[in-house]
Coordinates of all heavy atoms in Angstrom, one line a residue:
I1 N 153.5 114.3 116.9 CA 154.1 115.7 117.0 C 155.6 115.5 116.9 O 156.3 116.1 116.0 CB 153.8 116.4 118.3 CG1 152.2 116.6 118.5 CG2 154.5 117.7 118.4 CD1 151.8 117.0 119.8
D2 N 156.2 114.7 117.7 CA 157.6 114.2 117.6 C 157.6 112.7 117.8 O 156.8 112.2 118.6 CB 158.4 114.9 118.7 CG 158.5 116.4 118.6 OD1 158.7 116.9 117.5 OD2 158.3 117.1 119.7
Q3 N 158.6 112.1 117.3 CA 158.8 110.7 117.5 C 159.5 110.5 118.9 O 158.9 109.8 119.7 CB 159.6 110.0 116.4 CG 158.8 110.0 115.1 CD 159.6 109.3 114.0 OE1 160.8 109.3 113.9 NE2 158.8 108.7 113.0
L4 N 160.6 111.1 119.1 CA 161.3 111.0 120.4 C 161.5 112.3 121.0 O 162.3 113.1 120.5 CB 162.6 110.3 120.2 CG 163.5 110.1 121.4 CD1 162.8 109.3 122.6 CD2 164.8 109.4 121.0
Q5 N 160.7 112.6 122.1 CA 160.8 114.0 122.7 C 161.3 113.9 124.1 O 160.9 113.0 124.9 CB 159.5 114.7 122.7 CG 159.6 116.1 123.2 CD 158.3 116.8 123.4 OE1 157.6 116.7 124.4 NE2 157.9 117.6 122.4
G6 N 162.2 114.8 124.4 CA 162.8 114.9 125.8 C 162.8 116.3 126.3 O 163.1 117.2 125.6
Q7 N 162.4 116.4 127.6 CA 162.3 117.7 128.2 C 163.1 117.6 129.6 O 162.8 116.8 130.4 CB 160.9 118.1 128.5 CG 160.0 118.1 127.3 CD 158.5 118.1 127.7 OE1 158.1 118.2 128.8 NE2 157.6 118.1 126.7
R8 N 164.1 118.5 129.7 CA 164.9 118.6 131.0 C 165.5 117.2 131.3 O 165.5 116.8 132.5 CB 164.0 119.1 132.1 CG 163.4 120.5 131.8 CD 162.5 120.9 133.0 NE 161.4 120.0 133.2 CZ 160.3 120.0 132.5 NH1 160.1 120.9 131.5 NH2 159.3 119.2 132.7
C9 N 166.1 116.6 130.3 CA 166.7 115.3 130.6 C 168.2 115.4 130.5 O 168.7 116.3 129.8 CB 166.3 114.3 129.5 SG 164.5 113.9 129.5
S10 N 168.9 114.6 131.3 CA 170.4 114.7 131.3 C 171.0 113.3 131.3 O 170.3 112.3 131.6 CB 170.9 115.4 132.6 OG 170.3 114.8 133.8
Y11 N 172.2 113.2 130.9 CA 172.9 112.0 130.8 C 172.1 111.0 129.9 O 171.9 109.8 130.2 CB 173.2 111.3 132.1 CG 174.1 112.2 133.0 CD1 173.5 113.1 134.0 CD2 175.5 112.2 132.9 CE1 174.3 113.9 134.8 CE2 176.2 113.1 133.7 CZ 175.6 113.9 134.6 OH 176.4 114.7 135.4
V12 N 171.8 111.5 128.7 CA 171.0 110.8 127.7 C 171.9 110.1 126.7 O 172.9 110.7 126.3 CB 170.0 111.7 127.0 CG1 169.4 111.0 125.8 CG2 169.0 112.2 128.0
Y13 N 171.6 108.9 126.3 CA 172.4 108.2 125.2 C 171.4 107.7 124.2 O 170.6 106.8 124.4 CB 173.2 107.1 125.8 CG 174.1 106.4 124.7 CD1 175.0 107.1 124.1 CD2 173.9 105.1 124.4 CE1 175.8 106.6 123.1 CE2 174.7 104.5 123.5 CZ 175.7 105.2 122.8 OH 176.5 104.6 121.8
I14 N 171.4 108.4 123.0 CA 170.5 108.1 121.9 C 171.4 107.7 120.7 O 172.1 108.5 120.2 CB 169.6 109.3 121.5 CG1 168.9 109.8 122.8 CG2 168.6 108.8 120.5 CD1 167.9 108.9 123.4
A15 N 171.4 106.4 120.3 CA 172.3 106.0 119.3 C 171.8 104.8 118.5 O 171.0 104.0 118.9 CB 173.6 105.5 120.0
N16 N 172.2 104.8 117.2 CA 172.0 103.7 116.3 C 170.5 103.5 116.0 O 170.1 102.3 115.8 CB 172.6 102.4 116.8 CG 174.1 102.6 117.1 OD1 174.8 103.1 116.2 ND2 174.6 102.2 118.2
N17 N 169.7 104.5 116.1 CA 168.3 104.4 115.8 C 168.0 104.9 114.4 O 168.8 105.7 113.8 CB 167.5 105.3 116.8 CG 167.8 104.9 118.2 OD1 167.3 103.8 118.7 ND2 168.4 105.8 119.0
T18 N 166.9 104.5 113.8 CA 166.4 104.9 112.5 C 165.1 105.6 112.7 O 164.1 105.1 113.3 CB 166.2 103.7 111.6 OG1 167.5 103.1 111.4 CG2 165.7 104.2 110.2
F19 N 165.0 106.9 112.2 CA 163.8 107.7 112.3 C 163.2 107.9 110.9 O 163.8 108.6 110.1 CB 164.1 109.0 113.0 CG 164.6 108.9 114.4 CD1 166.0 108.7 114.7 CD2 163.7 109.0 115.4 CE1 166.4 108.6 116.0 CE2 164.2 108.9 116.8 CZ 165.5 108.7 117.0
N20 N 162.1 107.3 110.6 CA 161.4 107.4 109.4 C 160.3 108.4 109.6 O 159.2 108.1 110.1 CB 160.9 106.1 108.9 CG 162.0 105.1 108.7 OD1 163.0 105.4 108.0 ND2 161.9 103.9 109.2
T21 N 160.5 109.6 109.2 CA 159.6 110.7 109.6 C 159.1 111.5 108.3 O 159.9 111.8 107.4 CB 160.3 111.7 110.5 OG1 161.5 112.2 109.8 CG2 160.6 111.1 111.8
P22 N 157.8 111.8 108.3 CA 157.3 112.6 107.2 C 157.7 114.1 107.4 O 158.2 114.5 108.5 CB 155.8 112.4 107.3 CG 155.6 112.2 108.7 CD 156.8 111.4 109.2
S23 N 157.5 114.9 106.4 CA 157.7 116.3 106.5 C 156.9 116.9 107.7 O 155.7 116.6 107.8 CB 157.4 117.0 105.2 OG 157.6 118.4 105.3
G24 N 157.6 117.7 108.5 CA 156.9 118.4 109.6 C 156.9 117.6 110.9 O 156.5 118.1 112.0
V25 N 157.5 116.4 110.9 CA 157.6 115.6 112.2 C 159.1 115.5 112.5 O 159.9 115.2 111.7 CB 157.0 114.2 112.0 CG1 157.3 113.3 113.2 CG2 155.5 114.3 111.8
D26 N 159.4 115.8 113.8 CA 160.8 115.7 114.2 C 161.1 114.2 114.7 O 160.3 113.7 115.5 CB 161.1 116.6 115.3 CG 161.2 118.1 114.9 OD1 161.6 118.3 113.7 OD2 161.0 119.0 115.6
G27 N 162.2 113.7 114.3 CA 162.6 112.4 114.8 C 163.0 112.5 116.3 O 162.6 111.8 117.1
I28 N 163.9 113.5 116.5 CA 164.4 113.7 117.9 C 164.2 115.2 118.2 O 164.6 116.1 117.4 CB 165.9 113.4 118.0 CG1 166.2 112.0 117.7 CG2 166.4 113.8 119.4 CD1 167.7 111.6 117.7
D29 N 163.6 115.4 119.3 CA 163.3 116.8 119.8 C 163.6 116.9 121.3 O 162.7 116.6 122.1 CB 161.9 117.3 119.5 CG 161.6 118.7 119.9 OD1 162.6 119.4 120.3 OD2 160.5 119.1 119.8
F30 N 164.8 117.2 121.7 CA 165.2 117.3 123.1 C 165.5 118.7 123.4 O 166.3 119.4 122.7 CB 166.4 116.4 123.4 CG 166.1 115.0 123.8 CD1 165.5 114.1 122.9 CD2 166.3 114.6 125.1 CE1 165.2 112.8 123.3 CE2 166.0 113.3 125.5 CZ 165.4 112.4 124.6
T31 N 165.0 119.2 124.5 CA 165.2 120.6 125.0 C 166.3 120.6 126.0 O 166.2 120.0 127.1 CB 163.9 121.1 125.7 OG1 162.8 121.0 124.8 CG2 164.1 122.5 126.1
S32 N 167.4 121.2 125.6 CA 168.6 121.4 126.4 C 169.1 120.1 127.2 O 169.1 120.1 128.4 CB 168.3 122.5 127.4 OG 168.0 123.7 126.8
P33 N 169.3 119.1 126.4 CA 169.8 117.9 127.1 C 171.3 118.1 127.6 O 172.1 118.7 126.9 CB 169.8 116.8 126.0 CG 170.0 117.6 124.8 CD 169.3 118.9 125.0
R34 N 171.5 117.8 128.9 CA 172.9 118.0 129.4 C 173.6 116.7 129.5 O 173.1 115.7 129.8 CB 172.7 118.6 130.8 CG 172.0 120.0 130.9 CD 171.9 120.5 132.3 NE 171.1 119.6 133.1 CZ 171.1 119.5 134.4 NH1 172.0 120.2 135.1 NH2 170.3 118.7 135.1
H35 N 174.9 116.8 129.3 CA 175.8 115.7 129.4 C 175.3 114.5 128.6 O 175.2 113.3 129.1 CB 176.0 115.3 130.9 CG 176.3 116.4 131.8 ND1 177.5 117.2 131.7 CD2 175.6 117.0 132.8 CE1 177.5 118.1 132.6 NE2 176.3 118.1 133.2
S36 N 174.9 114.7 127.4 CA 174.2 113.7 126.6 C 175.0 113.4 125.3 O 175.7 114.2 124.8 CB 172.8 114.1 126.3 OG 172.1 114.3 127.5
I37 N 174.7 112.2 124.7 CA 175.4 111.8 123.5 C 174.3 111.3 122.5 O 173.4 110.5 122.9 CB 176.4 110.6 123.7 CG1 177.5 111.1 124.6 CG2 176.9 110.1 122.4 CD1 178.4 110.0 125.1
F38 N 174.3 111.9 121.3 CA 173.4 111.5 120.2 C 174.4 111.1 119.1 O 175.1 112.0 118.5 CB 172.5 112.7 119.8 CG 171.6 113.1 120.9 CD1 172.0 114.0 121.9 CD2 170.3 112.7 120.9 CE1 171.2 114.4 122.9 CE2 169.4 113.2 121.9 CZ 169.8 114.0 122.9
E39 N 174.4 109.8 118.7 CA 175.3 109.4 117.7 C 174.8 108.3 116.8 O 173.9 107.5 117.2 CB 176.6 109.0 118.3 CG 176.5 107.8 119.2 CD 177.9 107.4 119.8 OE1 178.9 108.2 119.6 OE2 178.0 106.4 120.5
N40 N 175.2 108.3 115.5 CA 174.9 107.2 114.6 C 173.4 107.0 114.4 O 173.0 105.8 114.2 CB 175.6 105.9 115.0 CG 177.1 106.0 115.1 OD1 177.7 106.7 114.3 ND2 177.7 105.4 116.1
N41 N 172.6 108.0 114.5 CA 171.2 107.9 114.2 C 170.9 108.3 112.7 O 171.6 109.1 112.1 CB 170.4 108.9 115.1 CG 170.6 108.5 116.6 OD1 170.1 107.4 117.0 ND2 171.2 109.4 117.3
T42 N 170.0 107.6 112.1 CA 169.6 107.8 110.7 C 168.3 108.4 110.6 O 167.3 108.0 111.2 CB 169.6 106.4 110.0 OG1 170.9 105.8 110.1 CG2 169.3 106.6 108.5
F43 N 168.2 109.5 109.8 CA 167.0 110.2 109.6 C 166.5 110.1 108.1 O 167.2 110.5 107.2 CB 167.1 111.7 110.0 CG 167.5 111.9 111.4 CD1 168.9 111.9 111.8 CD2 166.5 112.0 112.4 CE1 169.2 112.1 113.1 CE2 166.9 112.1 113.8 CZ 168.2 112.2 114.1
N44 N 165.3 109.7 108.0 CA 164.7 109.6 106.6 C 163.5 110.5 106.6 O 162.4 110.1 107.0 CB 164.3 108.1 106.3 CG 165.5 107.2 106.3 OD1 166.6 107.6 105.8 ND2 165.4 106.1 106.9
G45 N 163.7 111.7 106.2 CA 162.5 112.7 106.1 C 162.6 113.8 107.0 O 162.8 114.9 106.6
G46 N 162.5 113.6 108.4 CA 162.5 114.7 109.3 C 163.8 115.0 109.9 O 164.8 114.8 109.2
S47 N 163.9 115.3 111.2 CA 165.2 115.7 111.7 C 165.3 115.2 113.2 O 164.4 114.8 113.7 CB 165.4 117.2 111.6 OG 164.3 117.9 112.4

């Protein structure tokens, strides 16, 4: 459904990952992450 899913997570650091995803699959799906950093991630296909 999702490759990396987060629900109600805070102080998250997601960085320098590669997500090879087909159409319709989310690489990262976080719901309202607080005080979090997402950086330098590469997406091939999904989002």
